Amino acid sequence: MSDAFLPGNGFDTYETQDKVLVSMDGSVDCGVAVRILQQQGFGVAGAVVQLAADQSAWAAAARQAAEALGIECIVLKAEALADQPAEVLGSGNDARFAALLTAADKLGIQYIATGHHARVELGSDGVHTVCPAVDAVLDESAALAALPQDTLARLLLPLGEFTAADVQEM
């Protein structure tokens, strides 16, 4: 993947010291999300959320992808979270987001990010809303719509502003 400036001049800019913990899965989309966040000035670290013991090969592949991107990556063994009821994880939240947020808090990292194709917008009323991705074919906003406000306030979704062609080009 090229380190040339990515298309789209609408990036928000963040202070260089701001850090983000990116959910790694080894996909091209995830790699592009990491590069976008780096170009926005974030210190990027990766995390693989392993919800079951049989996901260890997948977790190892995701760690290798993070290594290829030149970022540190941790494996969060969150099997215990996988079977927790919704009231424990929070309404609309799932075990992956719970594990990411817990790890980010322990590491002193402000933000979390995923390779989902959606956008989070902050309204004038201070409410965060999940909005559809620019590319309607890739849109995953419905899967994130029920996340609680405290999660949305910390969630970055860098791919939501791009089409599939943009992501492939990057």
Side-chain angles (χ1 to χ4, degrees):
M1 180 181 314
S2 169
D3 284 333
F5 192 84
L6 302 173
N9 293 328
F11 288 132
D12 291 328
T13 56
Y14 296 87
E15 297 297 321
T16 303
Q17 70 273 12
D18 284 343
K19 295 179 183 167
V20 61
L21 187 62
V22 179
S23 177
M24 299 296 296
D25 63 10
S27 69
V28 170
D29 285 355
C30 192
V32 172
V34 166
R35 290 291 188 232
I36 290 170
L37 292 165
Q38 288 173 327
Q39 287 188 357
Q40 288 177 334
F42 283 101
V44 179
V48 179
V49 181
Q50 184 177 330
L51 296 174
D54 64 353
Q55 293 178 329
S56 59
W58 169 78
R63 280 190 73 175
Q64 284 180 318
E67 187 176 305
L69 290 165
I71 64 170
E72 190 177 334
C73 186
I74 58 173
V75 175
L76 305 172
K77 296 191 179 205
E79 295 97 338
L81 291 174
D83 297 324
Q84 294 294 314
E87 46 287 352
V88 172
L89 296 175
S91 175
N93 208 344
D94 70 24
R96 260 184 234 293
F97 285 99
L100 278 174
L101 287 167
T102 299
D105 288 342
K106 286 183 180 181
L107 296 169
I109 295 175
Q110 172 68 28
Y111 300 103
I112 61 169
T114 70
H116 284 94
H117 291 266
R119 298 175 298 122
V120 176
E121 293 183 0
L122 178 61
S124 60
D125 57 358
V127 175
H128 292 85
T129 305
V130 177
C131 299
V134 168
D135 189 332
V137 173
L138 298 176
D139 181 46
E140 298 175 292
S141 59
L144 305 174
L147 289 172
Q149 285 293 302
D150 60 333
T151 300
L152 294 176
R154 296 177 64 186
L155 180 62
L156 302 176
L157 301 170
L159 299 182
E161 299 292 333
F162 299 99
T163 65
D166 290 338
V167 172
Q168 286 305 311
E169 182 182 322
M170 290 186 247

